[in-house]
Amino acid sequence: MMIYLFILMCYFDNFSLGAWVYLALHGNYGLIWFLKDRTFPDPGFCRDATLMSALFPFPVVLIPYYFIGYWMMSGGELQRNPSGERIFVAIQLYCLGVVFMVLTDA
């Protein structure tokens, strides 16, 4: 996701505060998830997947998730210059999300 978002930043020439915050939060979350998975993997992810469980996430979760990044990087003034309060709430939710993500497999 981090590479995809940075490519979108370059494509749309969007190096605003909002773009950097979005890139940092989403990219860093992916790196932390990867490190957690390597350190203490989830046994549920080690099982064989059915065809539907392998294909279902793409149209339902992943494509909309990538569209949100596209929307953010191509967006207008509100996305490019978020308020201090919006950045504060985003970082607070990010920190709580990281803690809960790590604790679920601990």
Side-chain angles (χ1 to χ4, degrees), residues 4-106:
Y4 168 72
L5 290 174
F6 188 71
I7 289 170
L8 287 176
M9 285 173 67
C10 293
Y11 179 77
F12 290 110
D13 194 28
N14 182 0
F15 298 98
S16 63
L17 176 63
W20 283 114
V21 169
Y22 192 80
L23 175 69
L25 295 181
H26 282 271
N28 211 1
Y29 187 88
L31 292 174
I32 292 171
W33 185 87
F34 178 76
L35 289 172
K36 178 205 65 92
D37 188 57
R38 292 288 149 222
T39 306
F40 43 97
D42 183 1
F45 278 16
C46 296
R47 297 181 304 203
D48 290 337
T50 64
L51 181 63
M52 284 304 292
S53 68
L55 296 178
F56 185 73
F58 289 100
V60 175
V61 177
L62 296 177
I63 291 174
Y65 186 66
Y66 277 84
F67 176 75
I68 293 170
Y70 176 86
W71 176 74
M72 170 63 199
M73 296 307 167
S74 66
E77 194 64 26
L78 182 61
Q79 287 89 1
R80 292 180 184 254
N81 296 308
S83 66
E85 293 85 2
R86 189 173 181 185
I87 293 172
F88 172 80
V89 170
I91 292 172
Q92 293 300 312
L93 291 174
Y94 165 80
C95 291
L96 286 172
V98 166
V99 168
F100 287 137
M101 182 259 303
V102 171
L103 286 177
T104 57
D105 291 335

